[in-house]
Amino acid sequence: MKQKLSFIPHLLALSALYFLAGCASVAVDSHKLTGNVNNVNENFTIEGKFKLSHLDSKETGYFDLKKYNNSITVTLGKNYLFPEESFILDIRETLKLSKFIGQQSTEIKLPNIPLRDFLSLFLQTENTNIRIDDTNIILEFNEKKYPSKISLNHLDIELVILVKKIWKN
């Protein structure tokens, strides 16, 4: 009987160890592959934030852009308390920037950019100034291979995209 009672603490300790090991968390970023995205034809994910400035108004938000084969899934949010908006595009389409930032107002007229050209902005490797139609695009780098900041200036509207992460899927 004494031997059976001495076995119980060991059994409880072993059960607690299995329970704690089973509840251990794994980092969310562990599924992300390292490596450089070299062109728009590869599968990749981009996370970042945006800020739209127009006259006296400013809007901010975040985005998650996932490219898989020829489809692009964009998830937009104003902040983490409000619901997100998601839409799917084909890489051969033209991106309406007003849709990208979730702007439904008719007073702000943002240009349309071919989606392939828009994605290639995130993968530029050198500091260049680009012009698409009436839109000036300025890329800024800070110790990264890819741009950390993309500024699109169109008339009196400025859209700034801050890139947090880019990785291969």
Side-chain angles (χ1 to χ4, degrees), residues 56-115:
D56 292 337
S57 67
K58 291 186 180 175
E59 291 189 39
T60 60
Y62 64 94
F63 69 93
D64 184 33
L65 189 145
K66 294 178 182 169
K67 186 212 175 271
Y68 183 74
N69 292 337
N70 283 335
S71 66
I72 291 96
T73 304
V74 181
T75 304
L76 300 171
K78 295 293 182 184
N79 66 40
Y80 295 100
L81 298 175
F82 290 113
E84 297 176 334
E85 179 184 350
S86 294
F87 51 94
I88 299 173
L89 300 167
D90 188 87
I91 197 162
R92 296 168 290 223
E93 291 183 47
T94 299
L95 176 66
K96 297 175 182 169
L97 285 175
S98 57
K99 186 174 184 178
F100 176 76
I101 60 166
Q103 181 61 254
Q104 304 301 330
S105 176
T106 57
E107 68 184 47
I108 298 177
K109 301 277 191 229
L110 288 170
N112 298 335
I113 296 177
L115 193 51

Side-chain angles (χ1 to χ4, degrees), residues 144-155:
K144 293 181 182 179
K145 179 181 177 181
Y146 303 115
S148 58
K149 182 178 179 182
I150 301 170
S151 299
L152 294 104
N153 298 310
H154 179 74
L155 303 174

